[in-house]
């Protein structure tokens, strides 16, 4: 990558960030009369704007320095802030590989940034020979790579990601929302090798905290400083920080649930393979299966009638339905319902 400063919006480079009361005085002891808080109650104080305790837990868990960590209000905030740091509205562009996660599109549109889409190949891998023009286009500031990809479930090839990281002069965001379900190593281990890499992870999936809205970005210290400049001062509530800290402190629960989800996934795959109306199950490194059926719209609506809600992805990939792995009982209900559908 070129100098980071060359690809950051100039208004962000010169931005004077908001200085909160807790920025100016951040020790724990004292009589606090500086932030116009209510002196009564249990949630009366503003939360730590830099989520230091949570980051310290992640330092221990992931072996990444806390200077390399940003905590967001879900990964959605990680994505949105990337657009706001790097893309001038109406001028700069971003690139994704379709089909993929819908939020890149929405966030680009909100920020008035054109999102270019280049299709994945038949194996849902990046068509690495077909993207040269994009890698050389200086108006493209961000490339999103979702791996394992939603909704296809597969990991993107390591050599292709490496090639993009080396050749592209902008920022590469690898969205690893599902990486905990995969045996493959996270790209977080490569942070020191690539100054243009942002790895995005979340507490919403394997950690079971979708309701809490806690996302993570791992990147160079310089990129994290830009994130800190742009984020709302108190972007992650005290309740949400606590929820994530508690989850990391009880990682045995996390590991047990993860193991159960993975064994259920394997079992589900075996059984679904024997069901007539299912033509194909795509390989998945995530906690969901993408299945190809004879008539997705029909099967989706039949399942819904049985109060089993799946995601009809027919509009993205013809006749495909995405199914999250549930509890053993939920999976059994799904299987029984599918067995009873006749087309
Ligand atoms: C579910 C998901 C996320 C999680 O988003 P949060 O805002 O952290 O809940 C991120 N990326 C992808 C691809 C997802 O499927």
């Amino acid at each position: 990558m070129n100098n980071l400063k060359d690809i950051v919006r100039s208004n962000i480079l010169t931005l004077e960030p908001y200085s909160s009361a807790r920025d100016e005085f951040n020790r724990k002891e004292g009589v606090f009369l500086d932030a116009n808080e209510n002196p009564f109650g249990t949630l009366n104080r503003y939360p730590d704007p830099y989520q230091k305790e949570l980051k310290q837990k992640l330092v221990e868990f992931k072996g990444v320095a806390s200077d390399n960590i940003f905590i967001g209000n879900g990964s959605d905030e990680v994505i949105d802030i990337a657009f706001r740091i790097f893309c001038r509205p109406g001028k700069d562009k971003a690139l994704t590989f379709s089909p993929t996660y819908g939020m890149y599109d929405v966030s680009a549109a909100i920020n008035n940034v054109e999102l270019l889409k280049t299709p994945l190949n038949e194996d849902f891998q990046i068509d690495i020979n077909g993207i040269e023009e994009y890698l050389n286009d200086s108006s493209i500031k961000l490339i999103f790579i979702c791996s394992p990809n939603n909704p296809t479930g597969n990991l993107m090839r390591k050599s292709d990601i490496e090639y993009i990281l080396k050749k592209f002069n902008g920022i590469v965001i690898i969205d690893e929302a599902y990486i905990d379900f995969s045996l493959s190593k996270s790209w977080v281990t490569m942070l020191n090798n690539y100054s243009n890499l942002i790895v995005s992870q979340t507490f919403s999936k394997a950690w079971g905290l979708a309701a809490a809205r806690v996302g993570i970005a791992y990147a160079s210290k310089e990129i994290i400083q830009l994130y800190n400049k742009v984020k709302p001062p108190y972007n992650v509530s005290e309740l949400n920080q606590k929820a994530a800290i508690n989850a990391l402190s009880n990682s045995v629960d996390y590991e047990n649930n993860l193991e159960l989800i993975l064994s259920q996934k394997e079992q589900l795959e075996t059984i679904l393979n024997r069901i007539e109306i299912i033509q194909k199950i795509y390989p998945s490194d995530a906690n969901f299966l993408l299945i190809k059926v004879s008539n997705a719209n029909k099967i989706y609506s039949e399942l819904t009638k049985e109060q089993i809600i799946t995601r009809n992805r027919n509009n993205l990939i013809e006749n495909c339905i995405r199914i999250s792995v549930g509890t053993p009982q939920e999976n059994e209900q799904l299987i029984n319902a599918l067995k009873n559908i006749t087309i």
Side-chain angles (χ1 to χ4, degrees):
M1 187 182 65
N2 297 334
N3 201 326
L4 183 65
K5 287 200 171 65
D6 296 338
I7 56 166
V8 176
R9 285 169 61 185
S10 58
N11 63 310
I12 300 299
L13 279 179
T14 56
L15 174 74
E16 194 63 56
Y18 177 76
S19 178
S20 71
R22 283 295 84 78
D23 280 322
E24 287 170 27
F25 186 96
N26 66 12
R27 284 187 308 224
K28 284 209 161 146
E29 309 76 35
V31 176
F32 288 96
L33 305 174
D34 59 348
N36 298 343
E37 295 154 335
N38 191 312
F40 306 110
T42 51
L43 289 172
N44 54 324
R45 301 292 177 187
Y46 281 102
D48 174 4
Y50 298 108
Q51 307 96 18
K52 286 189 279 296
E53 193 183 341
L54 173 52
K55 284 180 188 170
Q56 192 48 44
K57 285 270 173 211
L58 286 169
V59 168
E60 292 158 25
F61 210 84
K62 300 273 179 178
V64 180
S66 96
D67 289 351
N68 298 113
I69 305 175
F70 166 80
I71 308 290
N73 186 359
S75 328
D76 294 346
E77 189 175 41
V78 170
I79 295 166
D80 178 67
I81 293 183
F83 280 110
R84 290 197 276 153
I85 295 173
F86 296 106
C87 298
R88 291 167 298 174
K91 285 188 182 162
D92 293 325
K93 300 173 192 156
L95 176 70
T96 60
F97 303 99
S98 55
T100 190
Y101 186 43
M103 203 53 209
Y104 313 133
D105 235 338
V106 176
S107 201
I110 291 169
N111 287 289
N112 191 21
V113 171
E114 187 185 346
L115 190 74
L116 305 170
K117 295 173 189 179
T118 179
L120 294 168
N121 67 21
E122 276 185 4
D123 298 325
F124 298 137
Q125 289 294 330
I126 295 168
D127 170 21
I128 202 74
N129 297 318
I131 62 165
E132 205 65 26
E133 58 169 317
Y134 297 116
L135 299 182
N136 295 321
D137 182 341
S138 63
S139 73
I140 299 177
K141 295 288 160 52
L142 300 176
I143 296 181
F144 289 92
I145 302 174
C146 190
S147 180
N149 188 38
N150 178 5
T152 61
N154 60 297
L155 285 161
M156 296 299 146
R157 249 193 311 267
K158 183 163 183 258
S159 55
D160 292 345
I161 296 182
E162 242 160 22
Y163 181 81
I164 293 170
L165 279 164
K166 280 185 191 147
K167 284 275 171 127
F168 181 55
N169 271 324
I171 299 292
V172 179
I173 302 188
I174 305 181
D175 186 336
E176 291 189 336
Y178 300 98
I179 194 68
D180 302 301
F181 301 105
S182 166
L183 292 177
S184 182
K185 259 205 311 206
S186 164
W187 281 87
V188 165
T189 54
M190 302 299 268
L191 277 185
N192 291 335
N193 301 32
Y194 300 104
S195 58
N196 58 341
L197 170 62
I198 298 176
V199 179
S200 158
Q201 294 184 359
T202 180
F203 280 87
S204 296
K205 305 285 157 60
W207 288 96
L209 288 180
R213 315 304 307 126
V214 186
I216 316 161
Y218 298 99
S220 72
K221 199 167 104 189
E222 291 73 23
I223 292 176
I224 296 300
Q225 279 167 353
L226 292 163
Y227 263 83
N228 285 337
K229 241 176 143 176
V230 171
K231 81 182 186 76
Y234 303 110
N235 61 324
V236 184
S237 88
E238 174 100 6
L239 296 168
N240 301 358
Q241 293 185 43
K242 285 249 165 74
I245 290 165
N246 285 342
L248 287 164
S249 308
N250 298 310
S251 57
V252 174
D253 291 348
Y254 157 85
E255 274 151 25
N256 290 341
N257 288 339
L258 188 61
E259 205 178 309
L260 181 57
I261 291 167
L262 291 177
S263 69
Q264 280 293 303
K265 180 176 118 182
E266 207 172 307
Q267 207 176 320
L268 195 56
E269 218 171 339
T270 311
I271 299 171
L272 293 185
N273 251 321
R274 298 193 214 116
I275 294 179
E276 195 87 17
I277 54 172
I278 298 174
Q279 295 171 347
K280 181 169 182 172
I281 303 172
Y282 291 90
S284 165
D285 266 88
N287 65 332
F288 58 82
L289 295 171
L290 185 74
I291 63 169
K292 193 172 194 82
V293 291
S294 46
N295 185 338
N297 292 341
K298 171 101 195 304
I299 290 167
Y300 169 79
S301 77
E302 291 292 320
L303 286 173
T304 306
K305 278 185 212 155
E306 297 299 315
Q307 311 228 37
I308 293 169
I309 322 305
T310 57
R311 198 84 197 266
N312 185 357
R313 300 281 74 181
N314 182 49
N315 291 338
L316 288 178
I317 314 160
E318 206 183 2
N319 280 323
C320 281
I321 293 176
R322 195 191 68 195
I323 302 174
S324 315
V325 178
T327 64
Q329 199 214 335
E330 289 170 336
N331 300 332
E332 200 177 309
Q333 279 176 265
L334 166 79
I335 290 162
N336 290 335
L338 280 168
K339 281 182 178 161
N340 287 329
I341 296 174
T342 46
I343 297 283

